[in-house]
Amino acid sequence: MVPDLPSVREDGGGGGGGIDHTRKVLHDGILNGNPPKTEAKVQSDFSTTKLTSYAPPVENGALYRTKHTFWPPLKAVPLASYYKLHRVPSLDSLTAVVMAEQQNDVQAIELPHSDGSHVEEPQDRSPPPNGVHNKILENVVRTPGRQPSPQPTHLSVPGPSQHRVLPEQGSGYVAPTFDGKDQQMDQVMDQIEEKGFIPPEFVESETNWFYNELGIDDMYFQTETVPAIVNHILSLYAGKVAAFARGDGRLEIRLDKEAADHAVYIDTSKPGVSVIDGPRYEQRIDEKYINGSVGDSSYRVESFRSGSHLPGEKDQQLRCYFVYKCQFAHPNPGLEETNLDIIGDKRFLQKATQNTRDIYQEVMTHAVDRTGPVIEMFEMEGGREKRLVIAYRQGSAMGLFSALSDLYHYYGATSSRKYIEQFSNGITIMSIYLRPLAQTPASMKHPPIEASIHQIMKEVSLLYCIPQNKFQGHFASGRLSLQETIYAHCVWVFVGHFLNRLGSEYKSLASILDPNNSAHVEMLSKIKRRLRTETFTSDYILEIINKYPDLVRALYLAFANTHYVQTRGEQDDFLPTLSYLRLKVDPVLDDSQLKDRISKAVVNEHDEMVMTAFRVFNSAVLKTNFYTPTKVALSFRLKPSFLPEVEYPQPLYGMFLVISSEFRGFHLRFRDIARGGIRIVKSRNKEAYSINARSLFDENYNLANTQQRKNKDIPEGGSKGVILLDVHHQDKVRVAFEKYIDSIMDLLLKPVSPGIKDPIVDLHGQEEILFMGPDENTADLVNWATEHARKRGASWWKSFFTGKSPKLGGIPHDAYGMTTLSVREYIVGIYRKLNLDETTVRKLQTGGPDGDLGSNEILLGREKYTAIVDGAGVLVDPQGLDRTELLRLAKQRAMISEYDASKLSTDGYRVLVDETNVSLPSGEVVDNGMIFRNTFHLRGGQHFDTFVPCGGRPESIDLSTVHKLIVDGKSTIPYIVEGANLFITQDAKLRLEKAGCILYKDASANKGGVTSSSLEVLASLSFDDAGFVENMCIRADGTAPAFYDAYVKEVQETIKRNAALEFEAIWREHQQTGIPRSTLSDTLSIAITKLDEELQKTELWNNLILRTSVLEDALPKLLLEKIGLKLIVQRVPDNYLRSIFGSYLASRFVYEHGSSPSQFAFFEFMSKRMARLNQQPGSQNSTSHINGAGA
């Protein structure tokens, strides 16, 4: 962290110095009103400046030459002293700091020598008062020769032995000579003279200045037309005249030209300063060219600073940007291709020197293997300039180019040249040449570039996660650091989800109203929704936080004091980081002090609520990758105890929050061992995004809770992950998924690559394993997640994701109809109980033949379909849709838009979502196909016997709409089996059941998929890697191992058996008690999960005979025969086996005795089981599968 910068911003970026340039006497006279004067060069005397141990040791004032060359000689002094010069606000305290250091006479820290000799520490080092030293990890040793394990991102480890020195002088680019340049220059001067805007005596000098002294290479002149160059020269001259006419003498040039295949931007720029109200050319380049670069529509950028200051402007130069559309010789290579001659742009290949090619080739090799950025730094021989090279996948860091300028400006650096190269394999590489600002009193507050470059490199990874955060203005102005603004951005997201809470007033109101009165329930539901949407909007929260940057700084320090790790103390990374220094110098307030400071600083109650939420966030974070050297998104493992019980009665076990520029997401789970799918939510427009953002956490919680109830038969509890794409990044599905997965893995895996994945502070203190699966918009991404977990060295990679390709050992739900098998057991169970002929039942289905559940429901069902609703629209035929045609669509996974309309009866019709003014056979006119599709399931006048929702958004039927399905107190649809998750709200279900509907809810009906996934996980945990590949992975020729086919059949039978057990238990208990089936589904789930957790804590697990008997019954027979119980017990985690033990006993007991058994029922249940064990011959060794074949 460094001191505040002036509150200005300029997109022209940094850069400084260059070739001295002289102008004609007449020109200087025009601009300055005086003849030119010889400007003396002032050289700063570093030897008089109190600096830090960033500098190399100096002996007798001579330059100590190492791999890092410093000139002039720098003196080393204590780091804390230097940092205090930055941050202490008052002169008195500044004087006190310096005097204290002089009195203590602390010896300077000496930099490590290139020969690896000993590094000296200060002799007298007392622990800092805020306890930073308690997080120094002395055991983390960075061995120079140690090779990192495969990681998602790459960051060269800072230190003198890591960065190479480039012998090359210049930019690393050599433009092909333009032979017609002199002739073109003559034509330009002729046209300028013809236009008459520039006096004839100035035409030659102005043209010569533009051609030869701005540093523009020949590629520009070869690309541009003569009229375009003439316009550029005239524009520059006009800027000078305008400056003279204004009388302030300040030269401001704003020139831009955008053509179909290239663009030019020229701007006046002060080195090292960001101007907020400038033309924002870098933002323009980001938004128009870089962010959207892909394939043939990719753009490369060259930017440089003029070699001299502008006349009359000692601190201003011209910053030029040239944008060119890429021309690839091979536009469609493989994504893994790294040969620059194949993937490079033609201009790049023409201009890049061999040295630049070598650098880019090495960086490219790393980039294709990474999810995140590759960050490298090279020293430039003979000077202090550094070349920063950053590579990343196209589209994964929107706005990074312009944000980088703010970053290096903050640390007192400026750029002389910048290049952005695009490659046809989808990789972007940026190259930025950084140098320190010219020495002035103002620039002395910055650390030397030899120190700041390491901090810049570390923060590029942070910037990559969120290039343009909501508090960018505070960062650009220097009021807050990058870390502080991104921290504030993350808390802003957190506050938006958790400050819109209902409060004690809602709880009091809920206790007064009658939950059995539907009017009361409906009113409470509406109040709840309104309170959540209208109390604090995201813009209002942003406005409040922006008012209190000083509070943000104090709150951030408390966060950093907990989670920042200086892995080797003050010698970490060759230099102590500025983050670490700040913790040592600035006061870190405890929670009570922060509370007091907030209450004194805020002006009203709302402001206090928002800023207090920062404290809640800080206390909730158990671990984070915020300070991990390399990362692709920011992840936080939160302690969910801050959630109010009145809104979330079922307590969560674990909670992850993930934030990136492309998305925000949660992962919630109700038990340590839990499994659930990951879904990605898209939004059609800003309004839809706003609605989705407000409901994101609640939807995630409800989905995970449903999964928890659904997982009653299996060892895993319920979990769910939901990713909400940002409104401006709706096309970034894959990017968002990869960043989400990788950043969560940062918190699950132990660090094994120093400098790439360093240790983190883990307040949770327990190893965690997550089991995930596919859901909406992620089915085709799970293979990547599996392979990525293997690349990152996760021992649990085989079980990390279910639903993966059979080639990776997955059991696809859609191919084998796993979810549908469970749903069908409930549908057929109703028909069996009521003696109904399935073929005569009229059926409505949402979710059509193109979907997983919908297509398999059509293939397995034999009902008379009279209406199907899917993404394309509505298909209706009261006489029954043609079954042969439906089977064709289901097998092809085609939408109803492809249904052969000639097969409809005279009463049948189809309305697609993009159609308007459609006349139905009844004479009714449909004005809007989209609205008709969205509300069709609620239309009156329809005649259906069974409704099976196989798709659709959550809460498609709620308390405010359910009355449309009830006429004269009777449900218009007699039987509903909810295949789609959360399609009907619980209160709406109860209303339907009260009206006579036989309804089985999602948590019971569609649990087949989770059963299949659980058994897939179990197989992956039971086999070793070789056995897993041999028995569970489809071969390259497409054939399946015999074990795989047999195991899939056993999984299918298990699904049907578990579904039948629950169906019968709910039917029986409803008959006995009259309790609604929707309620019984929940009470059964709660009873099973509660008993499961209790059983895992009892001594029953220690009874070896009982444990063996239960595991033999619970585990698939094929696994026992193939591997043997002994090896399974050795390989499967103990807590997972305990979950199997508990869930099997609990589910079998509850299914047999109901959700409210007598207090002696379980004793009787276990007594019978133990009696059977004792009756078996050789019961003391009743372990028939202990010594299986093994695999």
Side-chain angles (χ1 to χ4, degrees):
M1 308 305 161
V2 297
D4 295 346
L5 295 173
S7 333
V8 289
R9 168 177 177 150
E10 175 178 88
D11 300 316
I19 304 171
D20 287 336
H21 174 64
T22 57
R23 304 290 292 128
K24 283 197 169 185
V25 172
L26 194 53
H27 288 79
D28 288 331
I30 290 175
L31 294 176
N32 304 328
N34 297 304
K37 297 181 180 180
T38 302
E39 182 176 326
K41 291 189 176 180
V42 180
Q43 181 170 306
S44 299
D45 183 5
F46 270 70
S47 63
T48 63
T49 305
K50 206 165 178 62
L51 288 175
T52 72
S53 60
Y54 296 125
V58 179
E59 298 178 3
N60 300 322
L63 173 64
Y64 179 85
R65 293 189 178 276
T66 64
K67 207 166 191 179
H68 298 271
T69 302
F70 298 89
W71 183 89
L74 311 180
K75 283 189 175 179
V77 301
L79 285 162
S81 301
Y82 173 75
Y83 186 72
K84 287 177 181 178
L85 290 175
H86 290 184
R87 282 296 187 185
V88 176
S90 67
L91 184 60
D92 292 339
S93 56
L94 176 62
T95 305
V97 169
V98 177
M99 291 181 64
E101 292 289 357
Q102 292 173 347
Q103 291 172 2
N104 293 336
D105 193 26
V106 180
Q107 296 182 13
I109 300 171
E110 189 176 26
L111 288 183
H113 293 250
S114 57
D115 62 0
S117 57
H118 178 66
V119 177
E120 295 182 2
E121 303 256 354
Q123 300 301 313
D124 179 18
R125 178 175 304 189
S126 58
N130 58 21
V132 174
H133 279 300
N134 65 3
K135 287 189 285 294
I136 295 178
L137 305 179
E138 299 293 350
N139 60 329
V140 180
V141 179
R142 296 192 174 178
T143 307
R146 182 177 178 182
Q147 296 298 314
S149 63
Q151 297 292 340
T153 56
H154 173 82
L155 175 71
S156 57
V157 181
S161 63
Q162 296 293 328
H163 303 304
R164 287 158 290 177
V165 178
L166 297 182
E168 184 175 66
Q169 299 291 332
S171 67
Y173 287 79
V174 178
T177 302
F178 177 29
D179 295 331
K181 186 175 180 179
D182 291 338
Q183 181 181 358
Q184 184 194 66
M185 188 173 175
D186 290 337
Q187 294 173 0
V188 168
M189 287 189 289
D190 290 342
Q191 289 197 19
I192 290 174
E193 287 185 359
E194 290 175 7
K195 292 184 180 294
F197 292 113
I198 300 179
E201 60 268 30
F202 299 160
V203 170
E204 183 176 354
S205 61
E206 287 293 328
T207 306
N208 182 66
W209 176 67
F210 185 81
Y211 265 80
N212 299 319
E213 299 185 42
L214 283 183
I216 303 174
D217 66 31
D218 282 9
M219 182 68 72
Y220 163 79
F221 297 106
Q222 194 168 2
T223 303
E224 287 291 357
T225 63
V226 170
I229 296 173
V230 169
N231 287 336
H232 293 168
I233 295 173
L234 289 175
S235 298
L236 294 174
Y237 186 79
K240 302 173 187 177
V241 175
F244 179 76
R246 285 195 306 270
D248 59 8
R250 185 166 185 80
L251 181 58
E252 291 186 0
I253 294 174
R254 305 284 186 264
L255 187 154
D256 59 82
K257 179 210 169 182
E258 296 176 347
D261 60 350
H262 70 282
V264 178
Y265 304 91
I266 301 177
D267 182 27
T268 46
S269 171
K270 182 178 180 180
V273 176
S274 297
V275 178
I276 297 175
D277 57 355
R280 303 174 67 84
Y281 284 147
E282 290 194 353
Q283 277 79 3
R284 174 74 174 169
I285 292 170
D286 263 333
E287 293 167 4
K288 186 166 184 178
Y289 299 105
I290 306 305
N291 290 350
S293 282
V294 60
D296 290 336
S297 297
S298 296
Y299 293 85
R300 61 185 300 272
V301 178
E302 298 182 18
S303 174
F304 56 87
R305 187 176 294 280
S306 62
S308 66
H309 295 292
L310 295 173
E313 298 287 343
K314 295 181 180 180
D315 60 350
Q316 287 214 110
Q317 298 167 309
L318 284 183
R319 165 66 77 177
C320 305
Y321 303 88
F322 300 97
V323 183
Y324 301 101
K325 190 171 185 180
C326 293
Q327 300 175 12
F328 298 118
H330 302 278
N332 297 301
L335 295 178
E336 304 300 317
E337 180 61 62
T338 60
N339 189 328
L340 296 186
D341 290 322
I342 295 176
I343 60 180
D345 165 71
K346 292 180 180 178
R347 286 192 179 91
F348 166 76
L349 296 175
Q350 285 178 338
K351 298 178 68 172
T353 64
Q354 187 59 46
N355 201 25
T356 294
R357 279 173 167 250
D358 292 343
I359 290 172
Y360 280 28
Q361 187 65 70
E362 180 181 343
V363 170
M364 178 64 70
T365 302
H366 289 301
V368 296
D369 290 331
R370 308 290 190 234
T371 302
V374 175
I375 306 165
E376 289 280 3
M377 188 272 283
F378 302 87
E379 308 278 355
M380 302 300 291
E381 188 177 56
R384 299 176 66 191
E385 192 170 53
K386 318 294 178 187
R387 186 176 184 179
L388 185 63
V389 181
I390 305 167
Y392 59 93
R393 297 190 181 276
Q394 287 179 336
S396 65
M398 314 292 257
L400 181 63
F401 176 58
S402 56
L404 281 169
S405 296
D406 293 332
L407 177 59
Y408 58 72
H409 289 169
Y410 187 89
Y411 288 108
T414 183
S415 67
S416 58
R417 303 178 301 282
K418 298 190 279 193
Y419 300 90
I420 301 178
E421 300 295 350
Q422 308 287 355
F423 297 88
S424 57
N425 65 346
I427 298 295
T428 298
I429 298 182
M430 292 185 185
S431 188
I432 304 175
Y433 292 76
L434 297 176
R435 59 177 58 171
L437 291 172
Q439 293 302 316
T440 64
S443 67
M444 298 304 293
K445 63 184 180 180
H446 297 297
I449 194 169
E450 290 76 18
S452 61
I453 188 64
H454 300 296
Q455 190 75 17
I456 291 170
M457 290 178 65
K458 285 189 171 185
E459 296 198 11
V460 166
S461 177
L462 189 62
L463 196 64
Y464 173 84
C465 298
I466 309 176
Q468 300 289 335
N469 68 75
K470 288 292 183 179
F471 303 91
Q472 193 78 13
H474 285 295
F475 174 48
S477 68
R479 188 159 191 185
L480 292 175
S481 69
L482 177 67
Q483 296 180 17
E484 288 163 341
T485 56
I486 290 185
Y487 162 77
H489 178 99
C490 293
V491 182
W492 168 75
V493 173
F494 174 86
V495 173
H497 289 291
F498 301 110
L499 194 63
N500 294 342
R501 303 299 93 189
L502 308 180
S504 58
E505 294 84 359
Y506 175 84
K507 185 176 182 180
S508 300
L509 180 61
S511 64
I512 295 171
L513 298 178
D514 181 6
N516 298 316
N517 186 315
S518 60
H520 289 190
V521 173
E522 185 172 354
M523 181 181 67
L524 200 61
S525 176
K526 290 180 179 179
I527 291 174
K528 181 179 181 180
R529 185 166 300 181
R530 176 165 294 182
L531 283 173
R532 284 184 169 173
T533 58
E534 294 184 359
T535 309
F536 288 89
T537 66
S538 60
D539 289 340
Y540 183 40
I541 295 169
L542 186 64
E543 177 186 332
I544 292 173
I545 298 174
N546 266 314
K547 292 192 294 186
Y548 301 105
D550 292 335
L551 285 181
V552 169
R553 182 178 293 114
L555 289 157
Y556 167 75
L557 278 178
F559 170 83
N561 189 50
T562 300
H563 295 284
Y564 181 76
V565 176
Q566 187 80 4
T567 52
R568 291 179 61 202
E570 293 197 0
Q571 293 304 308
D572 183 37
D573 290 351
F574 166 58
L575 310 160
T577 65
L578 301 182
S579 305
Y580 178 67
L581 294 176
R582 179 161 190 178
L583 285 173
K584 292 186 66 176
V585 175
D586 286 355
V588 180
L589 306 181
D590 61 29
D591 190 62
S592 61
Q593 292 172 319
L594 285 171
K595 180 179 179 181
D596 182 62
R597 182 165 177 179
I598 290 171
S599 64
K600 291 179 179 177
V602 297
V603 296
N604 58 51
E605 183 181 0
H606 279 189
D607 290 11
E608 184 172 14
M609 290 175 66
V610 170
M611 300 314 296
T612 298
F614 278 72
R615 293 174 44 233
V616 175
F617 176 82
N618 285 357
S619 64
V621 177
L622 296 176
K623 50 184 173 179
T624 176
N625 70 347
F626 193 93
Y627 296 104
T628 301
T630 60
K631 50 193 166 288
V632 295
L634 297 172
S635 55
F636 304 89
R637 168 62 161 91
L638 303 177
K639 180 171 58 178
S641 57
F642 67 89
L643 295 172
E645 185 179 353
V646 65
E647 297 180 63
Y648 306 104
Q650 185 74 10
L652 286 168
Y653 176 87
M655 177 179 177
F656 288 85
L657 169 63
V658 186
I659 301 171
S660 175
S661 58
E662 297 87 2
F663 71 94
R664 63 181 64 176
F666 289 99
H667 186 275
L668 311 178
R669 74 188 199 272
F670 282 93
R671 284 169 58 180
D672 181 17
I673 300 296
R675 201 201 65 80
I678 309 299
R679 67 169 51 182
I680 294 178
V681 177
K682 296 182 177 181
S683 309
R684 285 181 173 270
N685 48 46
K686 287 185 177 181
E687 182 181 0
Y689 174 79
S690 179
I691 294 171
N692 289 335
R694 286 198 297 265
S695 63
L696 175 64
F697 181 80
D698 286 347
E699 179 177 328
N700 198 159
Y701 178 89
N702 291 332
L703 287 168
N705 201 9
T706 299
Q707 195 81 24
Q708 169 78 352
R709 297 192 298 270
K710 192 188 304 181
N711 289 11
K712 58 180 76 70
D713 300 320
I714 61 176
E716 301 98 336
S719 72
K720 207 72 172 183
V722 178
I723 302 169
L724 175 63
L725 294 178
D726 184 80
V727 65
H728 301 297
H729 299 285
Q730 293 298 300
D731 59 337
K732 294 294 190 298
V733 170
R734 186 176 188 89
V735 169
F737 179 82
E738 291 182 358
K739 289 186 175 184
Y740 174 89
I741 294 299
D742 185 71
S743 59
I744 288 180
M745 289 178 66
D746 285 345
L747 305 185
L748 301 179
L749 297 175
K750 294 180 179 179
V752 293
S753 300
I756 295 178
K757 295 294 179 186
D758 279 346
I760 62 174
V761 175
D762 186 356
L763 301 180
H764 182 58
Q766 300 176 23
E767 184 179 1
E768 294 186 281
I769 301 176
L770 302 183
F771 302 106
M772 302 179 179
D775 207 311
E776 291 180 11
N777 299 310
T778 61
D780 58 340
L781 301 173
V782 297
N783 289 346
W784 174 89
T786 303
E787 293 286 8
H788 188 60
R790 177 159 57 178
K791 285 182 180 179
R792 287 200 61 177
S795 60
W796 31 260
W797 69 269
K798 302 189 300 295
S799 60
F800 184 40
F801 257 86
T802 57
K804 52 189 176 288
S805 166
K807 292 182 179 180
L808 293 171
I811 302 176
H813 298 174
D814 55 349
Y816 298 104
M818 298 303 193
T819 305
T820 311
L821 286 172
S822 178
V823 174
R824 291 302 304 173
E825 280 297 315
Y826 285 85
I827 297 171
V828 173
I830 293 173
Y831 300 158
R832 184 179 65 250
K833 292 290 186 181
L834 301 178
N835 296 316
L836 298 177
D837 180 358
E838 180 179 347
T839 59
T840 64
V841 174
R842 296 167 297 180
K843 185 175 182 179
L844 163 66
Q845 179 176 311
T846 57
D850 61 313
D852 170 8
L853 189 55
S855 62
N856 283 314
E857 180 64 25
I858 291 172
L859 293 172
L860 295 179
R862 297 187 299 120
E863 295 94 338
K864 178 182 177 181
Y865 274 92
T866 54
I868 294 180
V869 181
D870 71 0
V874 179
L875 181 66
V876 179
D877 194 333
Q879 306 304 319
L881 294 166
D882 186 88
R883 177 164 177 76
T884 303
E885 182 68 0
L886 287 179
L887 291 175
R888 179 185 71 82
L889 295 181
K891 291 175 182 178
Q892 295 179 359
R893 290 294 178 91
M895 287 187 168
I896 60 169
S897 55
E898 298 184 31
Y899 184 90
D900 185 355
S902 66
K903 297 184 181 296
L904 290 171
S905 70
T906 56
D907 296 327
Y909 59 87
R910 178 176 57 195
V911 179
L912 302 181
V913 292
D914 55 357
E915 292 181 332
T916 58
N917 299 321
V918 179
S919 296
L920 304 184
S922 63
E924 178 186 355
V925 177
V926 175
D927 296 324
N928 185 297
M930 177 70 71
I931 296 175
F932 185 77
R933 190 279 306 269
N934 292 345
T935 58
F936 180 82
H937 61 284
L938 299 171
R939 280 171 58 86
Q942 308 292 320
H943 300 287
F944 307 112
D945 300 314
T946 297
F947 176 24
V948 183
C950 293
R953 294 296 298 159
E955 301 186 6
S956 292
I957 302 175
D958 60 16
L959 200 58
S960 65
T961 58
V962 69
H963 67 275
K964 297 180 180 180
L965 298 178
I966 299 173
V967 177
D968 297 330
K970 296 284 291 182
S971 172
T972 58
I973 303 176
Y975 324 119
I976 298 178
V977 177
E978 189 180 26
N981 284 326
L982 304 178
F983 188 84
I984 310 172
T985 62
Q986 180 68 5
D987 45 15
K989 289 186 181 86
L990 297 176
R991 287 288 302 276
L992 286 168
E993 288 205 63
K994 188 176 181 180
C997 179
I998 296 177
L999 191 152
Y1000 280 89
K1001 68 184 299 181
D1002 50 357
S1004 295
N1006 69 8
K1007 65 179 183 177
V1010 303
T1011 302
S1012 172
S1013 296
S1014 177
L1015 293 174
E1016 180 184 326
V1017 168
L1018 180 60
S1020 68
L1021 293 173
S1022 301
F1023 282 108
D1024 60 15
D1025 284 4
F1028 185 75
V1029 171
E1030 178 186 351
N1031 294 284
M1032 287 297 295
C1033 296
I1034 302 297
R1035 304 183 184 96
D1037 60 3
T1039 59
F1043 179 87
Y1044 182 91
D1045 287 336
Y1047 192 68
V1048 167
K1049 291 179 181 177
E1050 184 170 6
V1051 170
Q1052 290 175 322
E1053 292 303 314
T1054 302
I1055 289 171
K1056 291 192 286 186
R1057 180 169 60 252
N1058 287 344
L1061 284 172
E1062 185 174 357
F1063 173 84
E1064 293 293 341
I1066 293 175
W1067 188 278
R1068 180 182 65 249
E1069 193 155 348
H1070 173 75
Q1071 295 290 95
Q1072 294 172 353
T1073 66
I1075 298 174
R1077 294 178 178 85
S1078 300
T1079 302
L1080 288 173
S1081 176
D1082 292 339
T1083 54
L1084 281 174
S1085 297
I1086 293 171
I1088 291 173
T1089 54
K1090 184 178 179 180
L1091 180 58
D1092 175 9
E1093 292 170 358
E1094 291 175 352
L1095 287 173
Q1096 293 182 45
K1097 299 173 184 176
T1098 66
E1099 295 297 319
L1100 291 175
W1101 171 257
N1102 297 326
N1103 185 321
L1104 181 59
I1105 296 177
L1106 175 62
R1107 182 202 311 172
T1108 300
S1109 169
V1110 172
L1111 291 178
E1112 287 180 335
D1113 288 345
L1115 296 174
K1117 302 304 178 188
L1118 284 173
L1119 282 181
L1120 290 169
E1121 294 169 1
K1122 187 71 177 178
I1123 302 173
L1125 184 58
K1126 182 177 180 180
L1127 276 179
I1128 292 175
V1129 169
Q1130 289 176 0
R1131 292 170 178 171
V1132 178
D1134 184 69
N1135 55 354
Y1136 197 93
L1137 290 172
R1138 284 176 176 267
S1139 293
I1140 294 175
F1141 176 85
S1143 63
Y1144 183 83
L1145 280 180
S1147 62
R1148 267 44 187 180
F1149 170 73
V1150 173
Y1151 287 153
E1152 181 179 337
H1153 294 275
S1155 58
S1156 302
S1158 68
Q1159 55 184 329
F1160 300 106
F1162 186 74
F1163 175 79
E1164 181 183 355
F1165 173 80
M1166 291 303 300
S1167 296
K1168 290 180 179 178
R1169 186 171 190 94
M1170 296 303 297
R1172 289 197 302 271
L1173 286 176
N1174 293 330
Q1175 291 173 2
Q1176 293 177 1
S1179 60
Q1180 295 298 318
N1181 297 300
S1182 179
T1183 55
S1184 57
H1185 294 291
I1186 285 290
N1187 298 309

